[in-house]
Amino acid sequence: MAQLLIDNFRWIMALHVISVISWMAGLLYLPRLFVYHADAPAGSAQSETFKTMERRLLRGIMNPAMIATYVFGILLALAPGVVDWSSAWIYVKLAMVAGLTATHHAFGLWRKDFAADRNRRPARFYRVANEVPTLMMIVTVVMVIVKPF
Ligand code: HEM
């Protein structure tokens, strides 16, 4: 198993990055949809279209991409010699991953509010929420590429 991970390290890394890009695309786009959806009257044709877009984005792209990110990330972490567990960057990165996962679940709950026509948050709230995954993504990438500590 360990040798298999080492031999295919570059392929696993490629699959990890592909999954990360797909997950991040959804984490950045879904709150944009919420911004516009918040101003669409409940029951309008526009609101119903947003509901379909949000459901498909979350179920069709974001959920599978998050799972794939975890699977390939964990395989990388298990490959002997890839992570120096005495350095701090990996723990900061894992904290950011926890934050991105919590954000994903919060977005999932807010999607359900929209689906049931019970959203009460203003568009401004979702504009701010949109910046949260951006900041965590920046910290994550700096940790894994620069490895500053
Ligand atoms: C369960 C979640 C995750 C685990 C266990 C994990 C683990 C890892 C490991 C061990 C590496 C190899 C690090 C190295 O080069 O020394 C890696 C690479 C990478 N990870 Fe993750 N990761 C996870 C989630 C994420 C997320 C959410 C992002 C971005 C938002 C991300 C972005 C990257 C990038 C860009 C690389 C490539 C770095 C390079 O080219 O050297 N990872 N990951």
Side-chain angles (χ1 to χ4, degrees), residues 9-10 13 16-17 20 23-24 69-78 81-85 89-90 93-94 96-97 100 136-138 140-141 144-145 147:
F9 164 72
R10 293 266 151 211
M13 183 89 96
H16 181 58
V17 172
V20 161
W23 187 23
M24 285 309 309
T69 299
Y70 267 77
V71 168
F72 297 119
I74 289 167
L75 287 177
L76 284 174
L78 290 177
V82 170
V83 177
D84 172 5
W85 294 99
W89 68 267
I90 184 70
K93 171 169 176 171
L94 292 178
M96 290 300 119
V97 173
L100 287 166
M136 290 193 281
M137 177 270 291
I138 292 169
T140 310
V141 171
V144 85
I145 306 267
K147 299 188 173 87

Side-chain angles (χ1 to χ4, degrees), residues 17-135:
V17 172
I18 291 165
S19 319
V20 161
I21 290 172
S22 312
W23 187 23
M24 285 309 309
L27 281 171
L28 298 177
Y29 186 43
L30 188 58
R32 283 313 302 169
L33 290 176
F34 292 160
V35 167
Y36 301 124
H37 198 166
D39 287 334
S44 63
Q46 212 186 12
S47 169
E48 295 306 308
T49 304
F50 282 130
K51 286 183 191 178
T52 308
M53 293 170 78
E54 288 155 4
R55 189 184 63 246
R56 292 199 178 150
L57 182 62
L58 194 73
R59 299 218 181 127
I61 310 268
M62 294 171 67
N63 286 344
M66 178 180 68
I67 292 165
T69 299
Y70 267 77
V71 168
F72 297 119
I74 289 167
L75 287 177
L76 284 174
L78 290 177
V82 170
V83 177
D84 172 5
W85 294 99
S86 66
S87 49
W89 68 267
I90 184 70
Y91 302 103
V92 178
K93 171 169 176 171
L94 292 178
M96 290 300 119
V97 173
L100 287 166
T101 306
T103 306
H104 178 111
H105 285 100
F107 288 180
L109 293 176
W110 299 343
R111 187 200 73 77
K112 284 189 181 152
D113 286 342
F114 277 111
D117 289 326
R118 57 165 187 254
N119 172 62
R120 299 285 173 270
R121 298 175 200 90
R124 191 168 23 88
F125 174 87
Y126 296 109
R127 275 184 213 281
V128 176
N130 211 172
E131 304 307 325
V132 174
T134 309
L135 293 174

